[in-house]
Amino acid sequence: MINALAVAFNRLEAQLDSLLHKVEPLSHAQQNLKPDASSWSILQIFRHMMQSEGQILKYLRKKIQGSAVASKANLWSSIRSLILNTAMRLPLKYKVPDAIRVDFEENYDFEKLSSEWKTLRAEMREFLETIDEETAQKEIFRHPVVGRMSLLQGLSFMQVHLERHTGQVERIIQHPAFPK
């Protein structure tokens, strides 16, 4: 894997490991608590993240087949990436794009979800190992709202997205209704 992608992906993996380490000791009831009717539980957040990352990998596998004709990332790609990452850091709620909307179950099993997430990440690593320097600079990542950007900019979004939802997990743990 080229160095820039390896650094970004390893950072993403460290974020996931930290999150799993934080949630693993919680009870099943704590992991599945919805603070209110309009909020997600911790494991529903996990499911959302897995759905998002799975859709990203599916799209990348498709897009890589036409990478020879894909445009090189440019200033506009950088601006889109900056806008997206800035928006993700704001304390606003966003509607989940239709492409990754999922009907949640009420209860999930931590071991099953974390194992599936790690498998998905292994598939992502395997995919990234096939990417050369030239392809990494092309607009092969697409966000459903802001559009195309480079793979490295896409990994940056994934980091900010996970950071955002890690904060959401931490707020659930601090919520007054959270079982002690």
Side-chain angles (χ1 to χ4, degrees):
M1 186 182 314
I2 64 171
N3 189 53
L5 292 179
V7 168
F9 186 74
N10 289 340
R11 191 174 307 126
L12 194 58
E13 283 286 79
Q15 284 178 278
L16 176 57
D17 289 343
S18 175
L19 179 59
L20 294 176
H21 181 73
K22 184 177 299 188
V23 173
E24 184 177 23
L26 301 176
S27 71
H28 180 77
Q30 290 170 320
Q31 294 168 347
N32 284 284
L33 172 81
K34 291 174 62 173
D36 57 64
S38 66
S39 296
W40 292 343
S41 72
I42 292 171
L43 295 186
Q44 286 174 330
I45 293 167
F46 278 27
R47 183 69 185 94
H48 162 73
M49 290 300 302
M50 291 169 57
Q51 178 75 10
S52 174
E53 291 182 14
Q55 288 295 99
I56 288 168
L57 181 56
K58 180 180 173 184
Y59 181 83
L60 289 173
R61 283 177 172 155
K62 178 181 145 195
K63 192 65 180 171
I64 197 72
Q65 296 170 3
S67 65
V69 296
S71 299
K72 186 174 180 184
N74 55 35
L75 176 63
W76 295 114
S77 309
S78 297
I79 291 169
R80 285 191 298 273
S81 177
L82 178 65
I83 289 169
L84 177 61
N85 289 344
T86 301
M88 293 302 290
R89 288 186 171 108
L90 295 175
L92 303 173
K93 257 187 157 177
Y94 299 103
K95 180 181 172 207
V96 175
D98 290 337
I100 59 166
R101 182 154 309 158
V102 61
D103 290 327
F104 291 121
E105 296 174 19
E106 282 303 309
N107 287 288
Y108 286 97
D109 177 70
F110 173 82
E111 293 300 326
K112 183 174 187 276
L113 279 184
S114 60
S115 174
E116 290 172 1
W117 203 348
K118 290 301 256 180
T119 298
L120 178 61
R121 284 292 183 85
E123 291 173 17
M124 179 72 76
R125 177 180 294 281
E126 187 177 298
F127 172 80
L128 293 173
E129 287 171 350
T130 69
I131 304 299
D132 60 30
E133 189 75 44
E134 181 183 352
T135 305
Q137 300 300 317
K138 295 201 172 181
E139 290 183 323
I140 62 169
F141 182 95
R142 182 181 174 280
H143 185 274
V145 175
V146 300
R148 299 187 196 288
M149 57 189 80
S150 76
L151 187 51
L152 194 56
Q153 290 164 336
L155 288 174
S156 175
F157 159 73
M158 291 173 67
Q159 291 167 9
V160 173
H161 189 216
L162 185 53
E163 182 182 296
R164 175 182 178 87
H165 287 296
T166 297
Q168 188 179 3
V169 166
E170 290 167 352
R171 286 188 300 279
I172 291 170
I173 293 171
Q174 298 303 317
H175 194 276
F178 191 75
K180 301 299 178 203

